[in-house]
Structures are given as C-alpha cells and as structure tokens.
Amino acid sequence: MRKSTNITWHNSTISKQDRQSHNGHKSCVLWFTGLSGSGKSTLANAVDHTLHHKHCKSYVLDGDNIRHGLNKDLSFKKEDRQENIRRIGEVAKLFVDSGLIVTTAFISPFREDRETVRRMFPDHEFIEVFVDCPIDVCEGRDPKGLYKKARNGEIPNFTGISSPYEAPARPEITIRTDELSISQSVDKIITYLQAKKIL
Amino acid sequence: MRKSTNITWHNSTISKQDRQSHNGHKSCVLWFTGLSGSGKSTLANAVDHTLHHKHCKSYVLDGDNIRHGLNKDLSFKKEDRQENIRRIGEVAKLFVDSGLIVTTAFISPFREDRETVRRMFPDHEFIEVFVDCPIDVCEGRDPKGLYKKARNGEIPNFTGISSPYEAPARPEITIRTDELSISQSVDKIITYLQAKKIL
C-alpha cells in the first residue's frame, strides 16, 4: 500500500519540461546587473511586458517585491548582501523550475556573488544581462535621489561611489541604455531568446 | 527624459490581475499542513498534477526544492524553523503574485507560524489544507523511516513524538487521508477551488 502510494507520487510529479511544454517556451533567468539608475528595473519590466503580450509566462523579481518581503531581515553589510543575492538566485531557480522566464533586477555588484548564482543553473538557463551605462549618466538620472545622498555621505557603501561595481567579464547580453531606447533594448533581448530557442 | 522613462515603466508593469487573467484562473496558495507521513507531498503533487492537466499554472514547494536550496542555511532549532516557514510564505506570495496556484507541503506544526503566513495574504488567497491523519497511521506508513528513528531517540524534536503538532483551528479544507483515496482527496480540493471561483 505504501509502495503503491509512492509510485503514484512519482507518476504524478510534473517536471520542468512538462511545465515548459505546457507554456510553449523554455524557462530561464534573465539576470540584470548594473549601477543604480542604469535602467535595470525599467528594462526588466519592459521585457516582462513584452513577454506577457507574446503569451509567455514570466515574472520580475526586484527590490519592490524582495526587499520588504523575503529579504527584509537582511542589512547592507557584506555577508547580508551575499545572502541577499544567494536567496534571489534560489528563488529564481524555483521560478525557472516552475516554467517561467524570470527577470531579476538588482545591482548585484560583485562578480563572485553572480557567479555563485550562475553555478546554480545549467548553462543555457542563466542569462546575464549587463545593463551598461556610464556612471555620470546614471547619476544625472538619479531617479530616487540616491546618488545625491551618497555624494553627501548619507549612504555608506554606495555602488559606484564608495563601493565598487564589478562589471561582468562575459555577460550573455550587454545593453547600453545610454545609446539604445527601451524598445531597442527589449528587441535585443527578445532576439537573443529567439536565437537560443527559448521562445 | 527621465520622467518619460518613469511613465513607460509604470505603464509596462504587469499586475497580478493581468497574470491571472492571462492564465484563465485566479492564483492562491494551498498550504498543506500535517504530520510526517500524513500525505502532504503526495497530495500536493497530485493536486498540482490535476491542475496541470486542467491547463492551470501551478507549482509545488516542498522539502525537495526548498531544504537544499533557499533554506539550506537553516537548522531545526526553533527560530530557524520559524524562519523556514516565513521564507516559504514569502516565496509562496511571489508565486501567487506571478499568477500561479502554489501548493506548499511542509509539516508547519506551529499555529503561530502558519498564522504569520496567513497574514501575508488577502483572505481568499491563503487556503489552509489540514492533512489530517492519526499518528498511528502515519507511523505505520513511515515512508522515510523517520518515526522509527524518532522513537529510538535518533531525531530530537520530532513532530508528534517529541515536539507538538498544533492542528489548525479553522482550516479552509480538512482531508482525512486515512479515509479518502488520493483521487477523492484531490476532488475535494478541486471542488473547493471551483466553489471559490479560483478555477
């Protein structure tokens, strides 16, 4: 009796491949990394929007839904920043397993932390998107007034000002948001997903 | 220029309602709670399987994908067990926000921890499923040999043996897995989802 229950359980487990096939596309994480103000969230949401209208299943993880929820217990000190990125990586992995294309929009300034996340995934499922924008342009945008505060010394360890940003060495995709429009940037990412037969 | 970018961002954010409408059903968490061996994982996977074949978007969170991933840094001591449940609740919330019906299969023995998770959700999105099965039946099944080890004192704080299980006071659904077949149990849950117009 117990044995047959176990067999039923195994038979009734839906695999990642089942979910992907159901959705009509493969799943992956688009990991956006870049300076504050580089356009990560804007772009991640624009890609998500485009995917949604193509009837793909997708989701965005960003500060809005992570910082005050799952990671609200974490500070900005080094080990907590690592743990922040690790948890986001693990949650992204669950979303990929569920068949979704998940975009993540976090500065994630340290190469080591991003590489830790990359190693959680098979090669083709982790797509690092370097949102590349000169710091003076980011600082000129300063949508949340954070650069101003950082320059005044009100925010310690601010990436690009008082803490380093380690640019990806070999990102799958680089987007120059000071040169491309949002629409052109989205097109570049969608084209990549099509070329890799994810869509 | 910055302003127009912000407007684009807001316009292009996909809401939970957009995602639900896209999927053709509402999203919610089915929170399975019960003793080890009560059938939580079996049932959660069977419900997920049925939803999948009804072309619903769903996912299962259980020990297999949480313990060695997101929550691998947590021990079994009290504050870590609380944090374990909190994080699962937060991840479930993200899945509900992404439009999926997410089932969670964890003993979650303490009422207070489950109530903490319940409070994260609007009323209709948190559905507590009490997987009710007498401990002697669970112990008779003992699929992983854990009761045997617990009786031998090899596992401290084992729910039902050396640590309490606090049954839900007002669960949305109760399933007696010693009385109903898997198929009958699944039917009961699907019928509930239909009655609540989630499906």
Side-chain angles (χ1 to χ4, degrees), chain A residues 101-117:
Chain A
I101 297 173
V102 61
T103 57
T104 66
F106 300 90
I107 299 175
S108 47
F110 300 111
R111 204 171 288 143
E112 185 191 338
D113 297 344
R114 296 192 306 265
E115 289 304 309
T116 300
V117 175

PDB file of all heavy atoms in Angstrom, chain A residues 101-117:
ATOM      1  N   ILE A 101       9.844  32.462 -17.361  1.00  0.00           N
ATOM      2  CA  ILE A 101      11.020  33.273 -17.672  1.00  0.00           C
ATOM      3  C   ILE A 101      11.044  34.370 -16.622  1.00  0.00           C
ATOM      4  O   ILE A 101      10.155  35.218 -16.570  1.00  0.00           O
ATOM      5  CB  ILE A 101      10.934  33.885 -19.082  1.00  0.00           C
ATOM      6  CG1 ILE A 101      10.913  32.770 -20.134  1.00  0.00           C
ATOM      7  CG2 ILE A 101      12.105  34.845 -19.332  1.00  0.00           C
ATOM      8  CD1 ILE A 101      10.656  33.248 -21.552  1.00  0.00           C
ATOM      9  N   VAL A 102      12.031  34.314 -15.746  1.00  0.00           N
ATOM     10  CA  VAL A 102      12.064  35.259 -14.637  1.00  0.00           C
ATOM     11  C   VAL A 102      13.185  36.272 -14.876  1.00  0.00           C
ATOM     12  O   VAL A 102      14.295  35.907 -15.263  1.00  0.00           O
ATOM     13  CB  VAL A 102      12.208  34.517 -13.278  1.00  0.00           C
ATOM     14  CG1 VAL A 102      13.486  33.714 -13.196  1.00  0.00           C
ATOM     15  CG2 VAL A 102      12.126  35.483 -12.101  1.00  0.00           C
ATOM     16  N   THR A 103      12.856  37.533 -14.734  1.00  0.00           N
ATOM     17  CA  THR A 103      13.875  38.579 -14.842  1.00  0.00           C
ATOM     18  C   THR A 103      14.169  39.083 -13.434  1.00  0.00           C
ATOM     19  O   THR A 103      13.265  39.211 -12.610  1.00  0.00           O
ATOM     20  CB  THR A 103      13.396  39.750 -15.713  1.00  0.00           C
ATOM     21  OG1 THR A 103      12.194  40.272 -15.174  1.00  0.00           O
ATOM     22  CG2 THR A 103      13.131  39.309 -17.144  1.00  0.00           C
ATOM     23  N   THR A 104      15.433  39.320 -13.139  1.00  0.00           N
ATOM     24  CA  THR A 104      15.803  39.847 -11.831  1.00  0.00           C
ATOM     25  C   THR A 104      16.510  41.181 -12.048  1.00  0.00           C
ATOM     26  O   THR A 104      17.328  41.310 -12.957  1.00  0.00           O
ATOM     27  CB  THR A 104      16.740  38.902 -11.059  1.00  0.00           C
ATOM     28  OG1 THR A 104      17.985  38.812 -11.748  1.00  0.00           O
ATOM     29  CG2 THR A 104      16.138  37.512 -10.923  1.00  0.00           C
ATOM     30  N   ALA A 105      16.175  42.155 -11.237  1.00  0.00           N
ATOM     31  CA  ALA A 105      16.734  43.494 -11.393  1.00  0.00           C
ATOM     32  C   ALA A 105      17.341  43.955 -10.068  1.00  0.00           C
ATOM     33  O   ALA A 105      16.660  44.570  -9.242  1.00  0.00           O
ATOM     34  CB  ALA A 105      15.642  44.457 -11.855  1.00  0.00           C
ATOM     35  N   PHE A 106      18.596  43.613  -9.879  1.00  0.00           N
ATOM     36  CA  PHE A 106      19.331  44.003  -8.678  1.00  0.00           C
ATOM     37  C   PHE A 106      20.729  44.443  -9.115  1.00  0.00           C
ATOM     38  O   PHE A 106      21.295  43.856 -10.050  1.00  0.00           O
ATOM     39  CB  PHE A 106      19.429  42.823  -7.697  1.00  0.00           C
ATOM     40  CG  PHE A 106      18.079  42.330  -7.244  1.00  0.00           C
ATOM     41  CD1 PHE A 106      17.422  41.336  -7.947  1.00  0.00           C
ATOM     42  CD2 PHE A 106      17.450  42.905  -6.150  1.00  0.00           C
ATOM     43  CE1 PHE A 106      16.150  40.908  -7.556  1.00  0.00           C
ATOM     44  CE2 PHE A 106      16.187  42.477  -5.751  1.00  0.00           C
ATOM     45  CZ  PHE A 106      15.539  41.476  -6.454  1.00  0.00           C
ATOM     46  N   ILE A 107      21.284  45.422  -8.409  1.00  0.00           N
ATOM     47  CA  ILE A 107      22.618  45.911  -8.775  1.00  0.00           C
ATOM     48  C   ILE A 107      23.583  44.730  -8.859  1.00  0.00           C
ATOM     49  O   ILE A 107      24.344  44.620  -9.795  1.00  0.00           O
ATOM     50  CB  ILE A 107      23.114  46.949  -7.735  1.00  0.00           C
ATOM     51  CG1 ILE A 107      22.157  48.163  -7.713  1.00  0.00           C
ATOM     52  CG2 ILE A 107      24.543  47.393  -8.074  1.00  0.00           C
ATOM     53  CD1 ILE A 107      22.486  49.194  -6.630  1.00  0.00           C
ATOM     54  N   SER A 108      23.536  43.850  -7.879  1.00  0.00           N
ATOM     55  CA  SER A 108      24.429  42.676  -7.795  1.00  0.00           C
ATOM     56  C   SER A 108      25.834  43.016  -8.284  1.00  0.00           C
ATOM     57  O   SER A 108      26.273  42.515  -9.318  1.00  0.00           O
ATOM     58  CB  SER A 108      23.837  41.474  -8.541  1.00  0.00           C
ATOM     59  OG  SER A 108      23.364  41.796  -9.830  1.00  0.00           O
ATOM     60  N   PRO A 109      26.519  43.865  -7.518  1.00  0.00           N
ATOM     61  CA  PRO A 109      27.783  44.459  -7.985  1.00  0.00           C
ATOM     62  C   PRO A 109      28.981  43.516  -7.991  1.00  0.00           C
ATOM     63  O   PRO A 109      29.955  43.800  -8.701  1.00  0.00           O
ATOM     64  CB  PRO A 109      28.028  45.591  -6.983  1.00  0.00           C
ATOM     65  CG  PRO A 109      27.348  45.143  -5.729  1.00  0.00           C
ATOM     66  CD  PRO A 109      26.136  44.382  -6.181  1.00  0.00           C
ATOM     67  N   PHE A 110      28.901  42.420  -7.231  1.00  0.00           N
ATOM     68  CA  PHE A 110      30.096  41.584  -7.093  1.00  0.00           C
ATOM     69  C   PHE A 110      30.055  40.342  -7.978  1.00  0.00           C
ATOM     70  O   PHE A 110      29.086  39.569  -7.958  1.00  0.00           O
ATOM     71  CB  PHE A 110      30.306  41.211  -5.625  1.00  0.00           C
ATOM     72  CG  PHE A 110      30.487  42.420  -4.742  1.00  0.00           C
ATOM     73  CD1 PHE A 110      29.522  42.777  -3.815  1.00  0.00           C
ATOM     74  CD2 PHE A 110      31.606  43.232  -4.893  1.00  0.00           C
ATOM     75  CE1 PHE A 110      29.673  43.918  -3.018  1.00  0.00           C
ATOM     76  CE2 PHE A 110      31.765  44.368  -4.104  1.00  0.00           C
ATOM     77  CZ  PHE A 110      30.786  44.723  -3.164  1.00  0.00           C
ATOM     78  N   ARG A 111      31.123  40.196  -8.747  1.00  0.00           N
ATOM     79  CA  ARG A 111      31.231  39.098  -9.708  1.00  0.00           C
ATOM     80  C   ARG A 111      31.066  37.745  -9.007  1.00  0.00           C
ATOM     81  O   ARG A 111      30.385  36.867  -9.496  1.00  0.00           O
ATOM     82  CB  ARG A 111      32.592  39.193 -10.413  1.00  0.00           C
ATOM     83  CG  ARG A 111      32.617  38.539 -11.766  1.00  0.00           C
ATOM     84  CD  ARG A 111      33.920  38.876 -12.498  1.00  0.00           C
ATOM     85  NE  ARG A 111      33.945  40.270 -12.949  1.00  0.00           N
ATOM     86  CZ  ARG A 111      35.038  41.045 -12.955  1.00  0.00           C
ATOM     87  NH1 ARG A 111      36.192  40.563 -12.522  1.00  0.00           N
ATOM     88  NH2 ARG A 111      34.973  42.282 -13.389  1.00  0.00           N
ATOM     89  N   GLU A 112      31.702  37.610  -7.864  1.00  0.00           N
ATOM     90  CA  GLU A 112      31.667  36.330  -7.139  1.00  0.00           C
ATOM     91  C   GLU A 112      30.229  35.917  -6.791  1.00  0.00           C
ATOM     92  O   GLU A 112      29.854  34.751  -6.951  1.00  0.00           O
ATOM     93  CB  GLU A 112      32.492  36.467  -5.854  1.00  0.00           C
ATOM     94  CG  GLU A 112      32.626  35.183  -5.070  1.00  0.00           C
ATOM     95  CD  GLU A 112      33.223  35.438  -3.677  1.00  0.00           C
ATOM     96  OE1 GLU A 112      33.901  36.478  -3.488  1.00  0.00           O
ATOM     97  OE2 GLU A 112      32.986  34.598  -2.785  1.00  0.00           O
ATOM     98  N   ASP A 113      29.437  36.885  -6.337  1.00  0.00           N
ATOM     99  CA  ASP A 113      28.045  36.579  -5.986  1.00  0.00           C
ATOM    100  C   ASP A 113      27.250  36.149  -7.221  1.00  0.00           C
ATOM    101  O   ASP A 113      26.458  35.214  -7.176  1.00  0.00           O
ATOM    102  CB  ASP A 113      27.360  37.803  -5.353  1.00  0.00           C
ATOM    103  CG  ASP A 113      28.018  38.209  -4.043  1.00  0.00           C
ATOM    104  OD1 ASP A 113      28.774  37.403  -3.476  1.00  0.00           O
ATOM    105  OD2 ASP A 113      27.771  39.346  -3.598  1.00  0.00           O
ATOM    106  N   ARG A 114      27.488  36.866  -8.333  1.00  0.00           N
ATOM    107  CA  ARG A 114      26.763  36.499  -9.565  1.00  0.00           C
ATOM    108  C   ARG A 114      27.200  35.136 -10.064  1.00  0.00           C
ATOM    109  O   ARG A 114      26.385  34.354 -10.559  1.00  0.00           O
ATOM    110  CB  ARG A 114      26.966  37.575 -10.646  1.00  0.00           C
ATOM    111  CG  ARG A 114      26.383  38.943 -10.281  1.00  0.00           C
ATOM    112  CD  ARG A 114      26.345  39.875 -11.499  1.00  0.00           C
ATOM    113  NE  ARG A 114      27.629  40.007 -12.156  1.00  0.00           N
ATOM    114  CZ  ARG A 114      28.518  40.978 -11.928  1.00  0.00           C
ATOM    115  NH1 ARG A 114      28.257  41.926 -11.056  1.00  0.00           N
ATOM    116  NH2 ARG A 114      29.661  41.007 -12.587  1.00  0.00           N
ATOM    117  N   GLU A 115      28.495  34.843  -9.923  1.00  0.00           N
ATOM    118  CA  GLU A 115      28.986  33.537 -10.381  1.00  0.00           C
ATOM    119  C   GLU A 115      28.401  32.411  -9.516  1.00  0.00           C
ATOM    120  O   GLU A 115      28.134  31.315 -10.008  1.00  0.00           O
ATOM    121  CB  GLU A 115      30.515  33.490 -10.377  1.00  0.00           C
ATOM    122  CG  GLU A 115      31.149  34.352 -11.477  1.00  0.00           C
ATOM    123  CD  GLU A 115      30.648  33.992 -12.877  1.00  0.00           C
ATOM    124  OE1 GLU A 115      30.685  32.797 -13.235  1.00  0.00           O
ATOM    125  OE2 GLU A 115      30.205  34.907 -13.608  1.00  0.00           O
ATOM    126  N   THR A 116      28.222  32.694  -8.229  1.00  0.00           N
ATOM    127  CA  THR A 116      27.584  31.711  -7.340  1.00  0.00           C
ATOM    128  C   THR A 116      26.179  31.381  -7.852  1.00  0.00           C
ATOM    129  O   THR A 116      25.773  30.216  -7.899  1.00  0.00           O
ATOM    130  CB  THR A 116      27.495  32.269  -5.900  1.00  0.00           C
ATOM    131  OG1 THR A 116      28.818  32.531  -5.442  1.00  0.00           O
ATOM    132  CG2 THR A 116      26.824  31.282  -4.954  1.00  0.00           C
ATOM    133  N   VAL A 117      25.459  32.394  -8.261  1.00  0.00           N
ATOM    134  CA  VAL A 117      24.113  32.169  -8.793  1.00  0.00           C
ATOM    135  C   VAL A 117      24.196  31.424 -10.131  1.00  0.00           C
ATOM    136  O   VAL A 117      23.466  30.454 -10.363  1.00  0.00           O
ATOM    137  CB  VAL A 117      23.348  33.500  -8.950  1.00  0.00           C
ATOM    138  CG1 VAL A 117      22.007  33.254  -9.626  1.00  0.00           C
ATOM    139  CG2 VAL A 117      23.146  34.170  -7.593  1.00  0.00           C
TER     140      VAL A 117
END
